[in-house]
Amino acid sequence: MNRLFLALTALIVCLPLHAGDGQGLSAWRKAGMKKAVDSLYIEVPEYPRIARTWNNLRFSRMDISLGTTDFHLRSGIQDQQSVGFAWRGLGLNAGLNLSKASQRWITLGINSNTAGITVAFQQNADMTDGNHSYAVTTARASTYFAFNHRKYSYNAAVRRAFIQKRSAGSAVVSANACYALMQRTNPEYDFWNIAPEEGYLRNLQVSAGIGYGYNFVFGPDNGFLFHIGAIPQIVFLNKSRILDPNLKQLDNVYVGKLGAGFTASTAFHYSWADRYVLGISMINTSLRAPYTTGSSIFTREYLAQLFFEFRF
């Protein structure tokens, strides 16, 4: 992961360093972004690059029932520090809990005003059921499409590669996939009837849904933005397996039936001088999926962010 992080950072930083000079890839990218939006509602910033720093408060919960095994995991409230860099909708972010190196994550996103896709990798070795510890590694991919993309900018609310100049809303379609690998790390407890350091649970979930988002713009020079959005989702793929140290299957495959969930988001920020952004955002994601055997998995994640960004 360290090599991947360095390679992606080098790729983005080496992109054109001059914007607005009418030449090069940066000017071509900016012209294409302007054509895709209504300039009365959405502005493409003059400065192409964004440097960001923020503080995350994250809480995760997993309630899993597989056969006769039931357990309930909590992460506690995690305080994570993060930095990121973006160029014209192409962004790379990385985060670390400075007090616990076992909590870290990295994301790569490609986002226009119409649609976007984000891939995230997260490691958390501090999940617990109150008595035992678990290490959970997840890989996620999410994408969205905004129907009223010429006037409404989901990107302006959550990525800030665009600036919303007037209030607008839109129906939004979203699809998500999450792969999780979980291991009990407490050596004093038997993990699904095998040695704890040798037991793994693998889960794959895929969901999709349609919802609505709205950006309310107000204040001096329309510098304030308040965003709210909600997307109900259907979980149409949900599989879990118990594995040995070589990731070979040890138990039945638990196949899920259709499940349900939702993602709710809100954000409030102030931008000024076309360069600076200060704000907060919150995202809540919940998914519940039953299995054909009568078992189920219920995951929830709450994320609050305080961020500052600088365009240059």
Side-chain angles (χ1 to χ4, degrees), residues 132-134 182-201 242-248 250:
H132 314 287
S133 299
Y134 296 79
M182 183 175 65
Q183 179 189 22
R184 193 188 297 272
T185 57
N186 191 316
E188 299 177 356
Y189 193 85
D190 187 24
F191 182 41
W192 285 295
N193 299 319
I194 57 177
E197 63 274 16
E198 297 177 351
Y200 293 89
L201 170 67
I242 297 174
L243 310 171
D244 71 3
N246 297 317
L247 299 185
K248 293 182 179 180
L250 290 177

Side-chain angles (χ1 to χ4, degrees), residues 208-247:
I210 182 170
Y212 194 83
Y214 191 85
N215 291 342
F216 177 55
V217 179
F218 61 98
D221 299 321
N222 285 340
F224 289 96
L225 181 146
F226 176 73
H227 160 81
I228 188 169
I231 302 178
Q233 299 181 56
I234 298 297
V235 181
F236 58 88
L237 176 62
N238 177 40
K239 289 186 177 182
S240 293
R241 301 184 181 189
I242 297 174
L243 310 171
D244 71 3
N246 297 317
L247 299 185

Side-chain angles (χ1 to χ4, degrees), residues 49-286:
R49 297 172 300 279
I50 302 174
R52 55 173 62 110
T53 179
W54 65 94
N55 182 262
N56 296 335
L57 292 178
R58 186 190 301 267
F59 173 77
S60 302
R61 175 173 177 173
M62 299 177 65
D63 296 288
I64 303 175
S65 173
L66 293 178
T68 60
T69 302
D70 295 297
F71 56 99
H72 310 279
L73 303 185
R74 308 289 186 272
S75 67
I77 298 178
Q78 301 172 346
D79 187 0
Q80 301 172 334
Q81 291 70 43
S82 307
V83 295
F85 182 84
W87 174 83
R88 294 298 188 208
L90 176 62
L92 176 67
N93 306 308
L96 177 69
N97 187 329
L98 297 182
S99 63
K100 294 184 178 180
S102 56
Q103 301 171 6
R104 51 191 175 183
W105 62 274
I106 181 173
T107 66
L108 174 65
I110 302 175
N111 299 277
S112 69
N113 198 60
T114 304
I117 183 170
T118 300
V119 178
F121 302 91
Q122 181 179 349
Q123 293 178 329
N124 184 357
D126 295 295
M127 298 286 286
T128 178
D129 60 4
N131 298 311
H132 314 287
S133 299
Y134 296 79
V136 181
T137 301
T138 58
R140 305 173 187 267
S142 60
T143 184
Y144 70 88
F145 175 85
F147 288 93
N148 188 24
H149 53 82
R150 289 190 58 81
K151 295 183 178 180
Y152 167 78
S153 179
Y154 178 73
N155 192 309
V158 299
R159 303 297 179 192
R160 273 78 63 182
F162 293 81
I163 300 174
Q164 186 86 47
K165 298 171 62 178
R166 294 186 178 182
S167 301
S170 174
V172 179
V173 174
S174 175
N176 305 274
C178 179
Y179 170 87
L181 186 64
M182 183 175 65
Q183 179 189 22
R184 193 188 297 272
T185 57
N186 191 316
E188 299 177 356
Y189 193 85
D190 187 24
F191 182 41
W192 285 295
N193 299 319
I194 57 177
E197 63 274 16
E198 297 177 351
Y200 293 89
L201 170 67
R202 182 170 63 184
N203 174 259
L204 174 65
Q205 289 186 350
V206 180
S207 61
I210 182 170
Y212 194 83
Y214 191 85
N215 291 342
F216 177 55
V217 179
F218 61 98
D221 299 321
N222 285 340
F224 289 96
L225 181 146
F226 176 73
H227 160 81
I228 188 169
I231 302 178
Q233 299 181 56
I234 298 297
V235 181
F236 58 88
L237 176 62
N238 177 40
K239 289 186 177 182
S240 293
R241 301 184 181 189
I242 297 174
L243 310 171
D244 71 3
N246 297 317
L247 299 185
K248 293 182 179 180
Q249 183 176 321
L250 290 177
D251 201 349
N252 297 327
V253 178
Y254 294 86
V255 181
K257 298 183 291 186
L258 286 179
F262 72 92
T263 297
S265 61
T266 184
F268 176 75
H269 71 244
Y270 176 67
S271 59
W272 67 98
D274 198 28
R275 302 190 70 173
Y276 309 98
V277 184
L278 177 66
I280 58 174
S281 65
M282 291 175 284
I283 298 176
N284 173 21
T285 301
S286 298

Side-chain angles (χ1 to χ4, degrees), residues 16 18-21 23-31 48-49 87-88:
H18 300 285
D21 57 5
Q23 300 179 358
L25 180 61
S26 182
W28 171 81
R29 172 67 171 154
K30 181 180 179 181
R49 297 172 300 279
W87 174 83
R88 294 298 188 208

Side-chain angles (χ1 to χ4, degrees), residues 292-310:
T292 55
T293 58
S295 303
S296 65
I297 182 169
F298 185 22
T299 61
R300 279 161 284 184
E301 184 171 69
Y302 306 89
L303 175 64
Q305 297 179 327
L306 172 65
F307 58 84
F308 174 76
E309 299 180 349
F310 170 71

